[in-house]
Amino acid sequence: MVPRIAVRYCKLCVRVQQSSLQSCSYATASGSSTRAPARIPPESPRFIDVPQPPQQAARRKSQMKGILPVPRKIFDPEGPDKTSPNYLAAVTKEPQNPPRILGPEDPKFDLVQWKVRQAALRRKNLREGLVELARRKKKIDAQLGAQSARKQALYEEAVHRPEREDERLTMPSIPQNMRVGVFSNVTDPNRKKRIAEKIENTKRHLAQKAEDKRTSLHSLYMTARSFIVTEAALNAHVDQVFDDQFYKANPDRSIWDRGWGMPDTVEKMLNEQGGLSEKAIESNQGSSPIIAKRVKKITEELTGGKM
């Protein structure tokens, strides 16, 4: 059975080779440079063998999920030098209480010796790790510094690079009097004077703000004498205002006419100035109330606060 299977396989190989040779001879005789693949119909896009660009066969990198933690800042510029012998000796101290010496016949001898070796290995790894991390940090800082200096040099060279000749020849012509404002900074001849004026304005504004704040604080202090700050004063004021006899004694007085009612109109103020009030008492007072208000205002300005 084995020789018969081998013979059949060889016959199949011979048939495949004969068919491929026939297709190649047919393509050569017809003068075509492309060979139609076997068992692909002519209406298929793969009937003509077109080479594929390497980008389509490029393998994409597998994106790993998650994020790496932020590495610790081991070497602080303001901290101690962690590669100095004193620091390494301080962080990798030898044990103060050495293990008890056991004989080889003791059952804990191997365990104690293993712990001693592990402790020594940890101290050695810590010392070597700090030294290696410091060396790596210096190397990376030097590479970053060189890269930054190289980029800065390229930037400075590009900024101060002279104008190319082809750009100068193909550039639209601009009058000389217009190039001053376009290609250079125009200096202000009154710059120092303008800056001095701005400084004085700022000082005057700050002084006015401080004076307004002082006046407001003094006004608050003078007005605070009538503030209700205790529960007893609040109860007394409530009993006085909400008493039934309070408004019966003053029928023309409303709860809203307490000094913050409707503001005076222009006509009323002009009538008060000219003594033409509708009320007989106010019309016969003359200019004494106006003079009293003016004197009070002048006194407040002179004393620097409310009266």
Side-chain angles (χ1 to χ4, degrees), residues 235-275:
N235 295 332
H237 189 71
V238 169
D239 294 340
Q240 178 187 0
V241 173
F242 288 93
D243 190 8
D244 295 337
Q245 304 297 328
F246 181 76
Y247 292 102
K248 288 182 179 180
N250 304 303
D252 297 335
R253 193 170 186 179
S254 173
I255 192 174
W256 307 113
D257 297 336
R258 301 284 298 173
W260 55 78
M262 183 182 298
D264 296 339
T265 60
V266 178
E267 182 180 2
K268 183 178 179 181
M269 289 188 292
L270 291 175
N271 292 335
E272 290 180 357
Q273 292 285 344

Side-chain angles (χ1 to χ4, degrees), residues 223-234:
T223 314
R225 292 180 296 181
S226 60
F227 285 178
I228 300 175
V229 294
T230 59
E231 187 175 356
L234 177 62

Side-chain angles (χ1 to χ4, degrees), residues 73-91:
K73 190 176 181 181
I74 302 177
F75 301 101
D76 191 2
E78 300 179 357
D81 185 12
K82 296 186 178 181
T83 58
S84 60
N86 296 332
Y87 183 85
L88 294 178
V91 297

Side-chain angles (χ1 to χ4, degrees), residues 72 201 224 250 290:
R72 293 178 56 189
N201 293 338
N250 304 303
I290 302 174

Side-chain angles (χ1 to χ4, degrees), residues 7 39 43 46 53 79 91 100 119 131 146 153 165 173 193 226 236 277 288 290 302 304:
V7 171
R39 297 181 182 179
E43 63 271 10
R46 294 184 174 274
V91 297
R100 190 161 45 88
V131 174
E165 188 66 17
S173 60
K193 180 179 178 181
S226 60
S277 178
S288 57
I290 302 174
L302 293 176

